């Protein structure tokens, strides 16, 4: 069975940093695209960042320049380094291995279709 295990998250003051990690098992990691989505306190689903199997990265406009996504094939792991956090980054973050990277719409743990990990809470206080 495919499993995406997320670690990291927590609470930080504005301007601080956090790192999320997602360790995958049960799938062909090297050929899988990976992505992060988040659910805001208002229950909106937002695309955050993605990295393809060929290591092409993409970011939402709201996090570009502050977040960095990376992947480590030796560990089957994708990381999201989040710097200069702002209160609007407060959300539950989800790691996914989507069939297709969708940036303009999502539904937590439903769409894009694919595998989803458990969420991790990130809270940024201003």
């Amino acid at each position: 069975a495919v499993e995406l295990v997320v670690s990291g998250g927590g609470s930080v003051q504005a301007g601080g940093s956090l790192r999320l990690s997602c360790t995958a098992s049960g799938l062909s990691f090297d050929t899988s695209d990976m992505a992060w989505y988040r659910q805001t306190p208002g229950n909106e689903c937002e695309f955050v960042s993605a990295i393809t199997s060929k290591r092409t990265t993409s970011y939402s406009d709201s996090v570009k320049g502050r977040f960095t996504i990376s992947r480590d094939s030796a560990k089957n792991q994708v990381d999201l380094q989040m710097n200069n956090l702002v209160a609007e980054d407060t959300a539950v973050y989800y790691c996914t291995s989507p069939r297709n990277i969708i940036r303009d719409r999502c539904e937590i743990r439903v769409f894009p279709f694919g595998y989803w990990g458990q969420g991790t809470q990130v809270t940024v206080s201003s």
Side-chain angles (χ1 to χ4, degrees):
V2 174
E3 193 172 19
L4 302 177
V5 178
V6 177
S7 60
S11 297
V12 66
Q13 289 191 330
S17 299
L18 286 173
R19 188 177 186 89
L20 305 182
S21 294
C22 173
T23 303
S25 61
L27 55 71
S28 178
F29 183 78
D30 286 347
T31 59
S32 297
D33 296 340
M34 303 295 294
W36 291 91
Y37 292 82
R38 66 189 182 187
Q39 184 172 31
T40 69
N43 285 326
E44 290 188 3
C45 179
E46 298 179 346
F47 167 79
V48 177
S49 182
I51 184 165
T52 71
S53 60
K54 300 186 184 303
R55 299 179 180 271
T56 299
T57 61
S58 57
Y59 300 91
S60 67
D61 288 343
S62 63
V63 308
K64 195 176 297 182
R66 300 186 297 117
F67 290 13
T68 302
I69 192 170
S70 60
R71 63 190 295 157
D72 185 337
S73 294
K75 297 179 181 178
N76 279 12
Q77 184 172 300
V78 59
D79 291 340
L80 186 68
Q81 177 66 41
M82 306 183 294
N83 297 329
N84 195 20
L85 285 158
V86 298
E88 290 74 23
D89 294 320
T90 295
V92 179
Y93 286 71
Y94 292 84
C95 171
T96 74
S97 177
R99 293 183 197 173
N100 302 100
I101 297 172
I102 307 295
R103 297 173 183 83
D104 60 352
R105 62 189 180 105
C106 58
E107 184 177 347
I108 293 299
R109 307 201 75 174
V110 175
F111 185 82
F113 300 127
Y115 301 106
W116 289 71
Q118 86 278 15
T120 187
Q121 178 71 47
V122 170
T123 302
V124 183
S125 57
S126 56

